[in-house]
Amino acid sequence: MLGGYTAGFGLLALAQAAVVLFIALAFIGFPNEGPVWLVAFVVVSMALASVTLGLLVSGLAKSGFQVIQLMLLFVVPQILLSGLFDLASAPEWMQVLSQCFPITYGVDALRAIMLRGADFASVGFDLAMIWGFIALFFVLAAAKFRKKRA
């Protein structure tokens, strides 16, 4: 059942990621020095991490309203600590905390590919971390849904 949700929402995330990537590169003019397929792969990986995080949060919540509240609790810190903003002058504990979010690795990979022309090998660690988060979120969501159904 959870695999079906992941596939369905994953396809929706894939379509959304494709549209956003196309607009960013074609219309907004984001610089891109690396292979477009690798940018797309990182974007899709980040989308799947978000989908599996959403499934985990859904498993934790008791109502739809709680899902919204919990998503804000999970998403806002990720955005603020992802590396979109310079964290060099932030306290060390914040810098360490930022490494606990999948979006941090996605931002690092996209920055390396799009600004410096990095290849797959150069962003392999970041991709491995993102896919590790995807697996972790999926396993935890499956365990939580199993407990809910029992």
Side-chain angles (χ1 to χ4, degrees):
M1 185 165 108
L2 197 58
Y5 276 115
T6 304
F9 286 121
L11 287 174
L12 185 62
L14 174 66
Q16 184 180 19
V19 169
V20 169
L21 182 59
F22 176 74
I23 290 171
L25 294 176
F27 295 112
I28 298 175
F30 277 26
N32 183 33
E33 300 297 322
V36 174
W37 70 267
L38 188 54
V39 174
F41 184 68
V42 172
V43 169
V44 168
S45 299
M46 291 173 63
L48 286 175
S50 296
V51 166
T52 54
L53 176 61
L55 291 172
L56 173 60
V57 170
S58 294
L60 295 172
K62 292 180 173 62
S63 69
F65 184 68
Q66 272 190 337
V67 171
I68 295 169
Q69 291 175 319
L70 287 171
M71 283 307 290
L72 288 173
L73 182 67
F74 284 99
V75 171
V76 173
Q78 282 194 69
I79 293 170
L80 295 176
L81 297 175
S82 68
L84 287 173
F85 309 106
D86 185 20
L87 296 176
S89 61
E92 186 177 339
W93 66 268
M94 253 186 200
Q95 295 175 23
V96 170
L97 182 63
S98 76
Q99 300 302 307
C100 299
F101 300 126
I103 194 171
T104 300
Y105 299 98
V107 168
D108 289 347
L110 287 174
R111 186 177 289 132
I113 297 163
M114 296 179 79
L115 298 180
R116 294 186 291 278
D119 60 0
F120 186 83
S122 301
V123 296
F125 175 78
D126 293 317
L127 283 168
M129 290 300 294
I130 294 169
W131 281 92
F133 278 109
I134 291 169
L136 176 67
F137 294 157
F138 186 84
V139 168
L140 292 175
K144 193 61 184 168
F145 275 100
R146 191 168 296 138
K147 286 182 183 178
K148 266 187 164 181
R149 291 189 59 149

